[in-house]
Amino acid sequence: MHPFRFAVQATKATSGEEWRDLARRAEDLGYATLFVSDHYLGPGRAARESRLPPQHLAPIAAMATAAAVTRTLRVGCRVFCADYHVPAVLAKEAATIDLLSDGRLEFGIGAGWSPLEYRAMGLEFAAPGRRVDKLTEVVALVKAHWSGEPLELHGEHATAAGYAGLPHPVQRPRPPIMIGGARRRVLSLAAREADIVSINNVPFDAVNDAGRTPPQEAAHRFGLVRDAAGARLSEIEIEASPFFTAVTDDPDAAVKRVADVMGVPPDGLPDHPNVLVGSLDEVADRLTERRETYGANYISVQQREMERFAPVVSRLAGK
């Protein structure tokens, strides 16, 4: 099992000062990484329909700024959408951030998931298989670009040819890559190619179409990673994001709030992989149990809980 690491997923800063202060505070509190998101919709019909929260900051500039005002904090995007960026340009931007941060980039990449956001930006939301095909090619291009070797990639979705990628990333053999997903093909790709596998959000249905409860679904996804990774499983970190987090002495009230938000019964919610509620001791024990059950050692919490969750970080980080 890998030691615990913790990240903050931050999407709510609305000014440069607020963003810089947040990055410094995350570092001071012991978080390993500050993640942003790759979403673009401002207020309006498309945002309401897609249920995406407003995010003022675009990811690349925000990551570079956070790195510039910190010394040890790693920066990343959880996760870049392969369809939102020219692959060779994204590879160079990422390598530049790794260079300018002295090796603190974590590169998250995924196949995209929000058809309403695609449509709002005038993009085609292709069938899942085609999006995963593109993700596979983009990951290969990024790795080749960062290697410094001459590029001769002529894919259906990602092309870079006739030059070698610059700059060379500081981290060697390359910056860590995180791939997130929920289904066999993406998780198998992640198990083969990524350094960090995000098992993604688990639905809140009591039992899913496959007859699995949410904890069973998380364990199933980890099983897919384990089977595809083979001998390299020990090299892979498993990332999970308990979106609903509350370190509290009144867990029943916190669970009720989650139930009200999601429109589901409160029964079983404390065990849901995307819910982390309880006293400091209870939260620490639950995280330890989840690491044993489905490998999750890299925990991302939402910006709103950064301060309240800090005692958990202090207790478990590096252990």
Side-chain angles (χ1 to χ4, degrees), residues 83-215:
D83 281 327
Y84 292 174
H85 305 271
V86 176
V89 175
L90 182 60
K92 187 177 184 72
E93 293 278 6
T96 300
I97 290 177
D98 195 64
L99 178 71
L100 297 180
S101 69
D102 298 321
R104 289 185 279 142
L105 170 71
E106 292 189 1
F107 182 76
I109 186 75
W113 62 271
S114 176
L116 291 170
E117 185 173 43
Y118 272 67
R119 186 173 66 194
M121 297 194 299
L123 299 173
E124 176 193 2
F125 188 70
R130 187 168 178 82
R131 284 185 282 116
V132 177
D133 287 344
K134 181 170 183 176
L135 175 62
T136 303
E137 289 188 13
V138 170
V139 171
L141 186 151
V142 167
K143 287 186 173 184
H145 191 287
W146 291 350
S147 74
E149 298 296 322
L151 293 167
E152 289 297 335
L153 299 176
H154 301 271
E156 181 180 358
H157 308 283
T159 295
Y163 68 98
L166 288 175
H168 298 158
V170 171
Q171 295 180 85
R172 287 296 175 187
R174 54 172 171 73
I177 294 174
M178 176 167 70
I179 298 175
R183 300 192 179 276
R184 180 182 298 274
R185 189 178 174 203
V186 173
L187 289 174
S188 297
L189 170 68
R192 296 190 304 269
E193 300 292 340
D195 308 284
I196 306 162
V197 178
S198 176
I199 61 173
N200 248 358
N201 294 332
V202 175
F204 275 80
D205 301 324
V207 178
N208 65 14
D209 293 341
R212 292 187 287 267
T213 66

Side-chain angles (χ1 to χ4, degrees), residues 19 64 84 101 121 175 203 216 249 253 272 296 302:
W19 180 245
Y84 292 174
S101 69
M121 297 194 299
Q216 290 170 340
D249 292 326
H272 193 286
Q302 299 300 305

Side-chain angles (χ1 to χ4, degrees), residues 6-291:
F6 295 92
V8 176
Q9 178 96 36
T11 64
K12 299 183 181 301
T14 59
S15 71
E17 181 179 11
E18 182 183 357
W19 180 245
R20 293 188 293 270
D21 288 346
L22 188 147
R24 296 186 189 103
R25 185 59 177 157
E27 182 176 60
D28 290 343
L29 290 172
Y31 288 93
T33 310
L34 179 61
F35 284 131
V36 293
S37 297
D38 200 22
H39 293 298
Y40 296 89
L41 303 185
R45 173 178 50 80
R48 289 192 301 273
E49 292 176 352
S50 63
R51 302 184 67 181
L52 287 171
Q55 179 172 308
H56 288 250
L57 306 182
I60 293 172
M63 290 162 60
T65 299
V69 299
T70 56
R71 297 182 61 190
T72 62
L73 188 70
R74 301 180 69 78
V75 295
C77 182
R78 186 185 177 274
V79 295
F80 284 114
C81 174
D83 281 327
Y84 292 174
H85 305 271
V86 176
V89 175
L90 182 60
K92 187 177 184 72
E93 293 278 6
T96 300
I97 290 177
D98 195 64
L99 178 71
L100 297 180
S101 69
D102 298 321
R104 289 185 279 142
L105 170 71
E106 292 189 1
F107 182 76
I109 186 75
W113 62 271
S114 176
L116 291 170
E117 185 173 43
Y118 272 67
R119 186 173 66 194
M121 297 194 299
L123 299 173
E124 176 193 2
F125 188 70
R130 187 168 178 82
R131 284 185 282 116
V132 177
D133 287 344
K134 181 170 183 176
L135 175 62
T136 303
E137 289 188 13
V138 170
V139 171
L141 186 151
V142 167
K143 287 186 173 184
H145 191 287
W146 291 350
S147 74
E149 298 296 322
L151 293 167
E152 289 297 335
L153 299 176
H154 301 271
E156 181 180 358
H157 308 283
T159 295
Y163 68 98
L166 288 175
H168 298 158
V170 171
Q171 295 180 85
R172 287 296 175 187
R174 54 172 171 73
I177 294 174
M178 176 167 70
I179 298 175
R183 300 192 179 276
R184 180 182 298 274
R185 189 178 174 203
V186 173
L187 289 174
S188 297
L189 170 68
R192 296 190 304 269
E193 300 292 340
D195 308 284
I196 306 162
V197 178
S198 176
I199 61 173
N200 248 358
N201 294 332
V202 175
F204 275 80
D205 301 324
V207 178
N208 65 14
D209 293 341
R212 292 187 287 267
T213 66
Q216 290 170 340
E217 175 62 24
H220 168 72
R221 294 180 187 183
F222 178 58
L224 295 175
V225 174
R226 182 185 58 236
D227 293 345
R232 74 180 299 267
L233 181 65
S234 62
E235 303 171 15
I236 297 172
E237 291 189 287
I238 303 296
E239 190 268 352
S241 176
F243 186 84
F244 297 103
T245 305
V247 180
T248 175
D249 292 326
D250 190 4
D252 291 342
V255 168
K256 184 180 184 303
R257 287 194 295 271
V258 176
D260 291 344
V261 169
M262 298 306 298
V264 297
D267 297 342
L269 276 182
D271 295 321
H272 193 286
N274 297 121
V275 177
L276 191 57
V277 171
S279 67
L280 174 58
D281 288 341
E282 289 169 336
V283 167
D285 289 345
R286 188 161 281 131
L287 283 174
T288 300
E289 178 185 348
R290 291 177 183 181
R291 182 172 62 175

